[in-house]
């Protein structure tokens, strides 16, 4: 089955540690996105990538880093510089150019203690 | 930067009543998309509007894109309990790439 997979579903980390969230898609989509969802604030764009080996900052990129070495994969690292990392993180992918609808993964709920 | 505002934040209706959520962008959009997120779930794509003044229908859902391509609305006729969830609009500007979401409207339906 084609789809977009995020892992793990729940993640706990100690303050000061970096953590990497996985996002893999087998939909052959060019574009991939990372969003953060907090209660009452909707989805805020962290990073997006339109093509392999290229990515752009979204509205809240500070404290996060990404890589896009393969078309299928777009991992997000939450660094210790991110002041409020506890949140629900959603990865999405879409076909590039035609403004197609984005497919979302199930999300990773990160809790930093 | 580009901003997409959505109102209201919450809407509580009696089953059978209508519901509307509104979306406004600070910049002209190349297209607007609508998503639905059920409680505990992830956003699911509903529809995309591209043309100025476009209206599309999906059963009881009616989607509109404004003439200036800066606003949009989703109207649900005769809500049902299955309509419960948060509805998001998402806009892509003429520069492409970025998909910016509104804050969402959380709909609850009382049977």
């Amino acid at each position: 089955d084609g789809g977009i997979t995020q892992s793990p579903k729940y993640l706990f980390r100690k303050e000061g540690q970096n953590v990497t969230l996985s996002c893999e898609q087998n939909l052959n989509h060019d574009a991939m996105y990372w969003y953060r969802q907090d209660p009452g604030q909707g989805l805020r764009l962290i990073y997006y990538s339109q093509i392999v080996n290229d990515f752009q900052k979204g509205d809240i990129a500070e404290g996060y880093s990404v890589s896009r070495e393969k078309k299928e994969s777009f991992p997000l690292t939450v660094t210790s510089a991110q002041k409020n990392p506890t949140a629900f993180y959603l990865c999405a992918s879409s076909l590039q150019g035609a403004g197609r609808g984005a497919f979302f993964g199930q999300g990773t709920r990160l809790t930093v203690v | 930067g580009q901003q997409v505002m959505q109102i209201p934040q919450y809407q509580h209706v009696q089953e059978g009543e209508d519901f509307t959520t509104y979306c406004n962008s600070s910049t002209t959009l190349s297209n607007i998309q609508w998503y639905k997120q059920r409680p505990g779930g992830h956003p699911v794509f509903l529809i995309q509007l591209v043309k100025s003044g476009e209206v599309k229908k999906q059963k009881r859902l009616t989607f509109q894109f404004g003439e200036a391509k800066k606003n949009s609305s989703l109207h649900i006729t005769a809500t049902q309990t299955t309509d419960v969830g948060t509805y998001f609009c998402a806009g892509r500007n003429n520069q492409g790439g970025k998909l910016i979401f509104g804050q969402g409207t959380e709909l609850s339906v009382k049977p």
Side-chain angles (χ1 to χ4, degrees):
Chain A
D1 287 340
I4 179 166
T5 304
Q6 288 185 244
S7 60
K9 192 170 181 180
Y10 299 95
L11 192 54
F12 294 87
R13 276 294 182 271
K14 289 186 178 179
E15 196 172 336
Q17 290 181 335
N18 290 357
V19 60
T20 297
L21 311 185
S22 168
C23 180
E24 303 277 333
Q25 54 98 0
N26 59 6
L27 300 166
N28 201 33
H29 286 172
D30 298 301
M32 296 187 75
Y33 313 83
W34 273 106
Y35 292 90
R36 170 181 172 142
Q37 186 170 30
D38 297 285
Q41 295 199 49
L43 279 69
R44 292 184 290 166
L45 182 63
I46 305 172
Y47 269 98
Y48 66 105
S49 168
Q50 295 176 265
I51 197 169
V52 175
N53 292 322
D54 188 42
F55 48 83
Q56 284 80 40
K57 292 182 180 180
D59 298 320
I60 55 165
E62 187 176 346
Y64 299 97
S65 66
V66 293
S67 63
R68 186 84 189 277
E69 296 176 3
K70 298 187 298 181
K71 189 176 186 178
E72 302 79 22
S73 179
F74 192 39
L76 173 74
T77 297
V78 185
T79 75
S80 57
Q82 168 51 232
K83 291 183 173 50
N84 296 298
T86 294
F88 187 49
Y89 291 89
L90 285 158
C91 178
S93 70
S94 71
L95 286 170
Q96 178 59 8
R100 310 287 180 88
F103 286 76
F104 279 83
Q106 300 289 327
T108 292
R109 190 165 298 278
L110 173 65
T111 302
V112 176
V113 295
Chain B
Q2 180 189 348
Q3 289 189 334
V4 177
M5 307 299 291
Q6 194 174 349
I7 56 168
Q9 189 173 355
Y10 302 99
Q11 186 78 58
H12 308 286
V13 300
Q14 193 76 32
E15 188 172 21
E17 291 181 340
D18 292 356
F19 159 77
T20 305
T21 173
Y22 301 91
C23 190
N24 283 286
S25 170
S26 58
T27 60
T28 302
L29 300 170
S30 62
N31 61 69
I32 195 153
Q33 300 173 356
W34 285 91
Y35 293 78
K36 177 183 179 180
Q37 183 176 23
R38 292 184 187 275
H42 59 277
V44 174
F45 174 71
L46 294 176
I47 206 162
Q48 174 177 277
L49 304 171
V50 178
K51 299 176 185 175
S52 170
E54 189 170 11
V55 178
K56 285 188 176 181
K57 291 192 176 186
Q58 286 180 351
K59 296 183 181 177
R60 293 178 294 104
L61 278 60
T62 302
F63 304 85
Q64 292 188 322
F65 200 10
E67 293 291 339
K69 299 184 76 171
K70 293 180 76 173
N71 57 70
S72 182
S73 65
L74 158 59
H75 179 83
I76 301 178
T77 304
T79 54
Q80 299 175 358
T81 54
T82 53
D83 295 325
V84 163
T86 301
Y87 293 84
F88 292 97
C89 62
R92 204 184 295 272
N93 64 22
N94 290 325
Q95 283 67 48
K98 265 187 172 184
L99 185 61
I100 301 297
F101 279 74
Q103 297 92 330
T105 296
E106 184 178 339
L107 172 65
S108 63
V109 180
K110 189 175 182 182

